């Protein structure tokens, strides 16, 4: 496994639409493993392949409560409710803001074995699914942020 370089805002690749994975090759498996290691090193809750410079529809998400998910060619098939919570991104360092997201989201995707899975996430997991899937469309959370957090709020968040 390897730690990959995380692409930062300003790099035009983050604005590109990622392509579907047509076949789960050993390269895709290696990509998933490397993304996991990279996300852990950076202490993130999610990572899209485009954030490590690979324009493929592959994302990983991890929350303390719900565990770890690998999603290949993910699609949101249902959503409900609304939440306005704090969001940040490994590609947009030192910026946090309030976004409006559905409270619950159901995602259909392939896992690394090529099996179709459906996962319903609520709260933080739903927010993370939306955030990572936006990356596949070339969107960043700052595009639709309701407002950025102030310096004081960020300090409080960091404890
Ligand atoms: Zn992000």
């Amino acid at each position: 496994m390897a730690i990959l370089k995380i692409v930062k805002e300003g790099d035009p690749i983050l604005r590109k639409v990622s392509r579907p994975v047509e076949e789960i090759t050993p390269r895709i498996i290696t990509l998933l493993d490397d993304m996991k290691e990279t996300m852990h090193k950076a202490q993130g809750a999610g990572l899209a392949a485009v954030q490590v410079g690979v324009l493929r529809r592959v994302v990983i998400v991890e929350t303390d409560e719900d565990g770890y998910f690998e999603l290949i060619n993910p699609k949101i098939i249902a959503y409900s409710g609304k939440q306005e919570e704090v969001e940040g991104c490994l590609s947009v360092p030192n910026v946090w803001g309030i976004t409006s997201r559905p409270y619950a989201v159901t995602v259909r995707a392939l896992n690394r074995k090529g099996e179709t899975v459906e996962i319903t996430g609520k709260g933080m997991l739903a927010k993370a699914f939306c955030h990572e899937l936006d990356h596949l469309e070339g969107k960043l959370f700052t595009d639709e942020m309701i407002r950025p957090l102030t310096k004081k709020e960020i300090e409080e968040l960091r404890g």
Side-chain angles (χ1 to χ4, degrees):
M1 293 206 281
I3 305 278
L4 305 172
K5 189 168 175 282
I6 296 176
V7 174
K8 300 295 190 314
E9 189 181 21
D11 188 316
I13 197 169
L14 288 173
R15 294 306 185 175
K16 292 188 176 162
V17 176
S18 294
R19 292 186 299 272
V21 172
E22 269 143 39
E23 193 189 345
I24 301 172
T25 58
R27 266 180 86 176
I28 296 291
I29 301 298
T30 301
L31 173 67
L32 282 165
D33 290 340
D34 289 348
M35 283 171 65
K36 185 178 187 181
E37 201 177 355
T38 302
M39 180 181 74
H40 283 163
K41 175 95 194 301
Q43 298 184 304
L47 196 65
V50 62
Q51 291 180 276
V52 293
V54 178
L55 277 172
R56 290 288 174 178
R57 301 184 83 83
V58 172
V59 310
I60 59 173
V61 167
E62 186 168 45
T63 71
D64 289 341
E65 241 179 62
D66 301 289
Y68 175 69
F69 301 93
E70 296 177 340
L71 307 173
I72 299 167
N73 298 341
K75 277 197 178 87
I76 291 175
I77 56 168
Y79 61 90
S80 63
K82 192 176 131 174
Q83 58 178 329
E84 292 186 356
E85 292 292 339
V86 176
E87 208 164 312
C89 179
L90 294 175
S91 293
V92 191
N94 305 314
V95 177
W96 282 268
I98 307 290
T99 57
S100 178
R101 299 287 193 187
Y103 175 71
V105 169
T106 301
V107 174
R108 181 182 291 156
L110 298 176
N111 64 18
R112 64 163 66 203
K113 295 179 199 158
E115 299 159 344
T116 300
V117 293
E118 282 183 17
I119 303 150
T120 299
K122 290 176 182 167
M124 193 178 166
L125 186 59
K127 185 175 73 174
F129 283 158
C130 293
H131 179 114
E132 299 312 327
L133 267 67
D134 274 359
H135 274 301
L136 304 183
E137 306 305 325
K139 290 189 215 159
L140 294 173
F141 84 100
T142 43
D143 299 348
E144 293 175 66
M145 189 162 64
I146 296 169
R147 67 168 182 88
L149 294 193
T150 62
K151 271 194 178 142
K152 188 158 181 284
E153 285 174 315
I154 292 171
E155 279 167 23
E156 282 167 10
L157 189 74
R158 283 171 161 170

